[in-house]
Amino acid sequence: MNFHKTPVLTGVPFHYCPGCTHGIIHRLIAEAIEELGIWERTIGIGPVGCACYCYDYFNLDMYIAAHGRAPAVATGAKRADPEKIVFTYQGDGDLAAIGAGEINHAAIRGEKITTFFVNNAIFGMTGGQMAPTTLIGQKATTAPYGRDSETMGWPVRVCEMLATHEGSYYLERVALDTTAHIRAAKKAVVKALRYQMEGKGFSMVEVLSTCPTNWGKSPGEAMEWLQQEMIPYYPLGVYKDKGATENV
């Protein structure tokens, strides 16, 4: 079988570090957009962070939002033209730190947008500072001895938090550490976009990702750390799917 490169991605080489899985996530989203036949009416909202140049990679109309404000920009784009398919692409620093209020209220309002949330447990682009998702004991430039719950609080579980809001429609956490998990992630991306096509409420796919550079690990070691440390604290699975109960 010949390899097919989706035209929803441009030919610009990714700038991401070796072992980072942003590129895989980009491809899964682009393939889903092509397969669903929504290329011509999709708008992406990029973040501040490692993916701030995503407009170079997605062959789409793109906005770049101020730090943490992608859900607000997406809300405006979707409400201005409800026929558009609008997604945000955000890291854990962008979404769960300065953007925590924005993402919570987008879910509370049940905005008919889709969020792809990349959780690598660190502030990547700005040098490896502790993020809201940094694990207990995990070292960062602002937590050189490791995160301490007594003084720094506990890592936030975003899917679990947003699942409490009535306006959230579909929430799933996936990972990219195995072929089986990558296939499951693709299905989650397709489902989230399909729900938006059907006019449903807020959807989010959280993707556990690696950051070998700021974790101080090789790509292989980073993948093992994700499996051994991140997945136990951030369990994979569906945290809300109103479509599953509505169709019973």
Side-chain angles (χ1 to χ4, degrees):
M1 188 172 97
N2 292 330
F3 177 79
H4 170 70
K5 178 188 176 297
T6 172
V8 183
L9 288 179
T10 68
V12 177
F14 292 140
H15 74 282
Y16 303 115
C17 299
C20 169
T21 51
H22 269 298
I24 298 174
I25 304 167
H26 285 10
R27 180 175 176 83
L28 297 183
I29 295 169
E31 287 179 345
I33 289 170
E34 181 186 10
E35 292 168 13
L36 290 168
I38 55 174
W39 184 13
E40 296 299 323
R41 61 187 180 112
T42 298
I43 297 173
I45 317 295
V48 171
C50 289
C52 63
Y53 296 118
C54 62
Y55 55 81
D56 278 340
Y57 310 135
F58 286 107
N59 194 10
L60 300 166
D61 290 328
M62 299 285 297
Y63 294 98
I64 297 298
H67 202 182
R69 304 311 190 251
V73 175
T75 296
K78 183 68 176 184
R79 291 194 180 194
D81 189 348
E83 295 303 311
K84 297 295 186 184
I85 302 299
V86 182
F87 73 87
T88 73
Y89 188 102
Q90 299 176 259
D92 46 0
D94 183 90
L95 180 144
I98 193 170
E102 297 287 353
I103 198 66
N104 269 283
H105 285 282
I108 289 167
R109 295 192 305 269
E111 296 295 343
K112 295 176 175 61
I113 60 174
T114 304
T115 290
F116 299 113
F117 167 42
V118 183
N119 177 1
N120 60 14
I122 203 88
F123 273 93
M125 184 186 74
T126 53
Q129 297 90 342
M130 187 185 77
T133 52
T134 298
L135 298 177
I136 299 299
Q138 181 182 348
K139 293 182 179 180
T141 58
T142 50
Y145 301 107
R147 181 172 189 163
D148 168 34
S149 62
E150 186 68 24
T151 58
M152 304 173 190
W154 292 86
V156 62
R157 295 182 175 102
V158 175
C159 273
E160 291 87 332
M161 176 174 64
L162 298 186
T164 65
H165 302 322
E166 291 298 327
S168 57
Y169 192 86
Y170 169 62
L171 304 165
E172 183 168 356
R173 182 181 292 127
V174 299
L176 304 173
D177 56 309
T178 66
T179 301
H181 282 167
I182 291 173
R183 290 172 65 88
K186 172 69 173 293
K187 291 180 179 178
V189 169
V190 169
K191 180 183 281 191
L193 291 171
R194 180 167 52 78
Y195 277 148
Q196 185 178 166
M197 294 169 65
E198 296 171 357
K200 307 302 184 182
F202 176 84
S203 293
M204 186 187 77
V205 178
E206 177 179 350
V207 186
L208 301 186
S209 183
T210 55
C211 186
T213 297
N214 288 302
W215 292 355
K217 302 180 184 301
S218 70
E221 291 169 342
M223 200 64 76
E224 291 176 359
W225 192 84
L226 185 151
Q227 295 167 342
Q228 297 168 7
E229 303 294 335
M230 286 191 73
I231 291 178
Y233 189 84
Y234 298 112
L236 308 182
V238 176
Y239 285 84
K240 197 169 192 177
D241 187 352
K242 287 186 177 181
T245 55
E246 289 175 358
N247 296 327
V248 172

